[in-house]
Amino acid sequence: MKISRLLLGLCFITQAAAQTPGNYSFVYTSAPQNVPTAKVPDAPLAGNGDIGLTFGGTPDHMKLYFGKNDFWRAYPVYPGGGIAFPGGLDIRIKALSNASYYAEQIPTKGSIHAVFAKDDLKVEVNTLVTAMHNTVITEITANRTCKVELDLWAPEGNTAVVKKGPGWVSRSFSNTPLLEWPSEVTLRMKVYGDQTLQPGKKLTITVTFNKTPEENIAEMKAAHQQWWDKFWQRSSIQINDTMLEKYYTNSQYLFAASSRPGKYAPGIWGPFITKDSSAWGGDYHLNYNYQAPYWAAFSSNYIDLTDNYDQPLLDYMEKGRWHAKDLLNIRGIYFPVGIGPGGLCTTLWPLTPDEMEARYGTRENTIDHGYKFLGQKINAVFGAANMLMRFYSTYDEQYAEKVYPYLLACADFWEDYLKFENGRYVIENDHYGEVMPNLKNKGQWRHMLGDYNSTLSLGLVKMLFKGMINVSTYLHKDAARQAKWQHILTHLSPFPTQEVDGRVRLKSVEKSPSPWHSGAMGLARVSIHGLILPGEVCGPVTDSAFNAILLSDVSHWKDKMQEPGSWGNTFGNGIETCFPAAVRVGYDADEIIKQLKARIYAQSNRNGWITAAGGGTETLSAVPLTINEMLLQSYEGRVRIFPNWNHKKDAKFNNLRAYGAFVISSSLKDGRVEYVKLQSEKGRDCEMENPWPGKAVKLTRNNKPASSTLTGRTFTFKTSKNESIELSPLE
């Protein structure tokens, strides 16, 4: 995978003093219970965006599970295929049998600290995944003599070949039929010190992946802490809410531990893999799971952490073109629901009719030539959403050139697939939800096909062609095609609504054979994807009247609550979608915060990972994105400072990123915005909603007062590349 520029998103952190967050550790007083698991482990976690460490086991038998984002069993069916488990390290200290348990996951240090005690014996364990090296360092000390036993291991089975020698173990997949490419990982252990612990002496164990262990442990640890110190300085928020600040910080930590530039993209469970055949193969699920973990990184100014996102989509383009031609006889790219790295499809139907019948209630395993599209045509465009979010956030020409062929292939597909009927473009048979055989419907599913103008499809297609015009104009490409794209935008079918009991509500689809889809359900997770996030084609600036309908729908989410924390129906999926969407449509900020806290209390692990039934890493964007959107919005082309925040509550943010390639800091104190500081990376015009309603605004450019002032409810001012601007009210 090509390594992108590491400094993108690191710039301009000095314009306002970003602060390192408080400790905000997550503490364990008993051993983790949910390890190993097919989903999110309930254990202390550490990682470097490639290697993941899950700290499981008990004091007398610690089990360190190692995951790696690029270790896949490249088999196109799960279970069996998907991201694989490399192995682990067992640390046995028999003297700690039935000892007390204490461990903490420390985001600011990117490390795990544990203390185990029994009678007069106390053992301390510190472990981390070095930020700049693929080495796990574990240090153990004790206050009296005790023996440590070490066992480096890799699991057998699942057609793996396991080899072992002194201080190393390897696991590989290579000769399995249908395997698309081979993979291998080698763990190499080095021990420094005596395995019979002595008071005042340290036992250090390193486990290095795929190369000879590094010798200078002190240098690795210093580089590790320096990386995390700089990471926390890149942006920050202060909202005087310790609980949310803690989850905000921890979510950023877990995402940074899962994703880095130059590394393979994380799947549904990130690098925290503790067994083969994790749920959904731990793959890149394209109908939102793969995209959502990155959403908060854009506004949090962690652009470089999104560098790895595009490559799997670009790698699948060749197969995507074949799917479009072979199955639909049209141009462009057509993606199944799940893919992996290197052009891998993870989602073939089971290979035999018997397996198909056992799992899905039908013997028909050749649906769509054996690929799982599940009635959805929109997956490739769903993938384009993050590309557009990054483009608008950076206006990086090199990046735009890189992803433009993908965007253009999406446009080719939808130019051919859309139908122009009665003066409008319509979308047939692209389904709001997954339509598939299963044991519950006993394989009877085709009668559910036929969604017409799904809000998911309409919104994302509108997002695509709006983006095509913006990106092609920026790159001076395909000017002759813009008339067609504009015609589609202008004539795309309106989003369906229906009046029920005197209130206009959003419909999921204009019409459908599914009674559930065809009703006026109001705004929900899937329609949010098309309209608000990541679609970004609706909002109070774009269309205030339609936004009022969406806001009304959100205000009725409480009516559907079955239990505390279920606001927005996010126990299954969607916490990272519904809460930021409620912010964007303008729902009451205090109520959103109240419901967000209730959701966290209702369903989250002891390591601070907010859990959902249908996914994992996507929830890491939930708290950061919700808070960021309360403090700063720009997705509708207009910068809005504290747009949905209770102005009676003090708040502050440093170095959040806005569309237009602006990095912004501001403070709200005693009901008044104190200042707005803006760094313009690309010199674009900035449209801003006046932070001081009714007052004129003065500009200071590169520490020099500007001669003119700005007035009005909104205003636009020019900027220069790399210019620092401060806005303040003219008193």
Side-chain angles (χ1 to χ4, degrees):
M1 183 180 294
K2 182 180 179 181
I3 299 178
S4 301
R5 290 171 295 165
L6 296 178
L7 294 180
L8 184 60
L10 291 174
C11 303
F12 311 122
I13 64 171
T14 59
Q15 64 159 310
Q19 296 185 358
T20 300
N23 189 5
Y24 293 149
S25 297
F26 281 81
V27 173
Y28 288 70
T29 56
S30 61
Q33 300 298 310
N34 192 28
V35 182
T37 177
K39 293 187 176 182
V40 177
D42 180 19
L45 303 173
N48 69 358
D50 182 22
I51 305 300
L53 166 63
T54 300
F55 190 82
T58 57
D60 60 322
H61 188 179
M62 290 168 270
K63 296 184 73 68
L64 277 58
Y65 296 83
F66 305 129
K68 197 171 191 302
N69 278 343
D70 64 358
F71 185 57
W72 286 64
R73 184 174 185 262
Y75 186 72
V77 185
Y78 54 71
I83 194 165
F85 173 48
L89 173 64
D90 285 6
I91 304 174
R92 292 182 175 88
I93 305 177
K94 293 181 181 179
L96 288 175
S97 178
N98 297 316
S100 64
Y101 190 100
Y102 177 90
E104 56 179 323
Q105 173 184 291
I106 310 173
T108 53
K109 296 182 179 180
S111 66
I112 298 165
H113 171 68
V115 180
F116 308 124
K118 181 181 179 182
D119 300 328
D120 62 340
L121 172 63
K122 183 173 77 170
V123 175
E124 292 194 36
V125 180
N126 291 289
T127 186
L128 55 86
V129 184
T130 53
M132 305 300 290
H133 307 81
N134 271 4
T135 296
V136 178
I137 299 174
T138 303
E139 298 174 326
I140 307 175
T141 57
N143 65 339
R144 69 173 178 84
T145 302
C146 60
K147 185 173 179 56
V148 179
E149 298 175 7
L150 303 174
D151 179 24
L152 187 69
W153 58 277
E156 303 278 356
N158 202 16
T159 73
V161 175
V162 175
K163 299 178 181 179
K164 190 168 185 177
W168 65 272
V169 64
S170 69
R171 191 173 193 232
S172 65
F173 300 99
S174 58
N175 297 317
T176 305
L178 297 182
L179 204 70
E180 296 207 10
W181 33 265
S183 60
E184 181 175 3
V185 64
T186 300
L187 310 178
R188 302 182 187 275
M189 180 175 68
K190 195 159 186 177
V191 180
Y192 304 82
D194 194 337
Q195 287 184 226
T196 299
L197 290 173
Q198 302 292 336
K201 293 188 177 182
K202 182 187 299 181
L203 172 65
T204 300
I205 307 129
T206 65
V207 177
T208 300
F209 288 66
N210 293 340
K211 62 180 182 179
T212 303
E214 302 280 349
E215 289 291 341
N216 197 317
I217 294 173
E219 287 184 2
M220 285 193 289
K221 289 174 62 178
H224 170 85
Q225 191 58 57
Q226 184 181 46
W227 191 94
W228 281 105
D229 287 345
K230 289 183 177 179
F231 175 80
W232 295 119
Q233 291 168 9
R234 287 162 61 179
S235 68
S236 64
I237 59 99
Q238 295 176 46
I239 57 172
N240 298 303
D241 187 315
T242 301
M243 186 262 199
L244 282 183
E245 287 179 355
K246 180 176 181 178
Y247 276 86
Y248 183 103
T249 299
N250 193 65
S251 295
Q252 305 279 37
Y253 162 69
L254 291 173
F255 181 66
S258 300
S259 181
R260 296 286 169 85
K263 307 297 183 181
Y264 274 49
I268 296 176
W269 316 112
F272 304 109
I273 303 300
T274 54
K275 62 185 293 187
D276 283 353
S277 295
S278 57
W280 298 283
D283 71 358
Y284 305 149
H285 239 58
L286 297 182
N287 54 1
Y288 109 92
N289 304 79
Y290 180 55
Q291 296 86 343
Y294 294 90
W295 289 343
F298 299 109
S299 57
S300 297
N301 201 25
Y302 299 141
I303 296 295
D304 60 308
L305 299 191
T306 74
D307 276 1
N308 54 25
Y309 169 82
D310 309 295
Q311 198 61 49
L313 299 169
L314 301 178
D315 288 345
Y316 203 82
M317 285 183 67
E318 182 178 354
K319 285 185 179 177
R321 292 187 193 278
W322 177 74
H323 295 322
K325 181 65 175 176
D326 189 53
L327 295 175
L328 301 173
N329 196 31
I330 60 178
R331 298 175 301 150
I333 52 176
Y334 178 32
F335 281 18
V337 67
I339 66 171
L344 173 68
C345 173
T346 59
T347 46
L348 289 185
W349 293 107
L351 300 178
T352 69
D354 288 345
E355 292 173 315
M356 185 75 181
E357 186 172 33
R359 292 179 59 193
Y360 297 104
T362 177
R363 299 185 63 80
E364 185 185 4
N365 67 330
T366 58
I367 302 164
D368 291 331
H369 291 192
Y371 289 85
K372 288 182 183 175
F373 291 90
L374 308 186
Q376 297 183 317
K377 309 295 190 302
I378 204 67
N379 289 320
V381 176
F382 219 142
N386 286 29
M387 298 177 182
L388 292 171
M389 294 171 80
R390 175 165 173 166
F391 169 73
Y392 294 135
S393 297
T394 64
Y395 280 86
D396 181 336
E397 183 175 355
Q398 182 179 344
Y399 177 75
E401 290 279 5
K402 173 185 174 182
V403 300
Y404 188 75
Y406 184 93
L407 300 175
L408 192 63
C410 290
D412 289 340
F413 179 94
W414 284 96
E415 282 186 37
D416 289 1
Y417 191 78
L418 289 168
K419 292 184 178 180
F420 193 63
E421 297 177 351
N422 301 318
R424 63 173 181 155
Y425 289 96
V426 301
I427 301 175
E428 298 178 347
N429 291 312
D430 186 20
H431 292 83
Y432 182 84
E434 299 174 348
V435 183
M436 59 185 289
N438 56 52
L439 294 176
K440 186 177 181 180
N441 63 33
K442 299 179 180 179
Q444 302 300 310
W445 60 284
R446 281 194 167 84
H447 66 286
M448 304 296 287
L449 295 171
D451 279 5
Y452 184 90
N453 281 340
S454 157
T455 49
L456 172 67
S457 312
L458 290 172
L460 291 180
V461 169
K462 191 169 187 177
M463 172 205 75
L464 170 68
F465 286 107
K466 174 186 173 185
M468 287 308 307
I469 293 173
N470 289 331
V471 180
S472 66
T473 299
Y474 184 72
L475 295 177
H476 307 289
K477 294 179 180 287
D478 294 310
R481 297 185 64 174
Q482 289 192 7
K484 173 68 172 179
W485 299 337
Q486 186 61 55
H487 191 264
I488 291 172
L489 278 177
T490 306
H491 294 84
L492 196 64
S493 294
F495 304 124
T497 59
Q498 181 179 343
E499 185 174 328
V500 179
D501 297 331
R503 181 171 71 87
V504 178
R505 309 180 188 184
L506 184 72
K507 294 186 67 178
S508 302
V509 298
E510 186 173 327
K511 57 184 178 181
S512 170
S514 166
W516 182 67
H517 286 169
S518 60
M521 297 169 54
L523 186 67
R525 173 178 63 88
V526 177
S527 50
I528 287 170
H529 289 154
L531 305 183
I532 303 170
L533 181 70
E536 302 189 331
V537 294
C538 298
V541 174
T542 303
D543 185 340
S544 59
F546 184 69
N547 187 77
I549 295 172
L550 305 182
L551 177 57
S552 175
D553 284 343
V554 171
S555 70
H556 284 78
W557 284 355
K558 292 174 68 174
D559 301 343
K560 302 176 182 180
M561 289 180 62
Q562 301 296 314
E563 55 186 307
S566 64
W567 190 71
N569 190 31
T570 63
F571 282 163
N573 300 90
I575 181 176
E576 72 297 312
T577 303
C578 293
F579 283 88
V583 175
R584 285 186 167 185
V585 300
Y587 191 64
D588 181 75
D590 289 342
E591 183 65 21
I592 293 172
I593 288 175
K594 172 186 172 182
Q595 297 294 348
L596 180 59
K597 287 183 174 181
R599 172 63 177 82
I600 293 169
Y601 281 126
Q603 194 169 286
S604 59
N605 282 345
R606 288 186 289 170
N607 53 26
W609 195 313
I610 305 166
T611 56
T617 50
E618 65 264 31
T619 68
L620 301 180
S621 66
V623 176
L625 187 59
T626 299
I627 300 303
N628 289 355
E629 290 292 321
M630 287 181 163
L631 306 181
L632 175 69
Q633 286 181 27
S634 59
Y635 75 99
E636 294 181 275
R638 178 183 299 171
V639 174
R640 304 171 66 210
I641 308 296
F642 298 105
N644 193 3
W645 184 259
N646 184 343
H647 281 220
K648 294 180 181 179
K649 297 181 178 180
D650 293 352
K652 183 178 183 180
F653 64 89
N654 291 316
N655 303 321
L656 295 185
R657 181 172 287 270
Y659 282 7
F662 304 120
V663 179
I664 299 177
S665 303
S666 187
S667 173
L668 177 70
K669 187 174 179 60
D670 298 329
R672 179 180 179 273
V673 175
E674 292 188 295
Y675 60 83
V676 176
K677 296 180 180 180
L678 180 148
Q679 185 80 26
S680 174
E681 293 181 345
K682 298 297 182 179
R684 298 183 61 81
D685 291 356
C686 179
E687 179 182 327
M688 182 178 290
E689 194 169 287
N690 193 337
W692 301 277
K695 293 183 178 292
V697 175
K698 60 182 179 180
L699 297 182
T700 301
R701 298 178 179 270
N702 293 330
N703 297 318
K704 296 180 180 180
S707 57
S708 58
T709 58
L710 305 170
T711 58
R713 190 176 67 86
T714 64
F715 45 70
T716 300
F717 55 94
K718 293 188 176 298
T719 75
S720 300
K721 188 175 181 180
N722 296 330
E723 184 179 31
S724 295
I725 297 173
E726 183 165 358
L727 294 84
S728 56
L730 191 63
E731 301 295 352

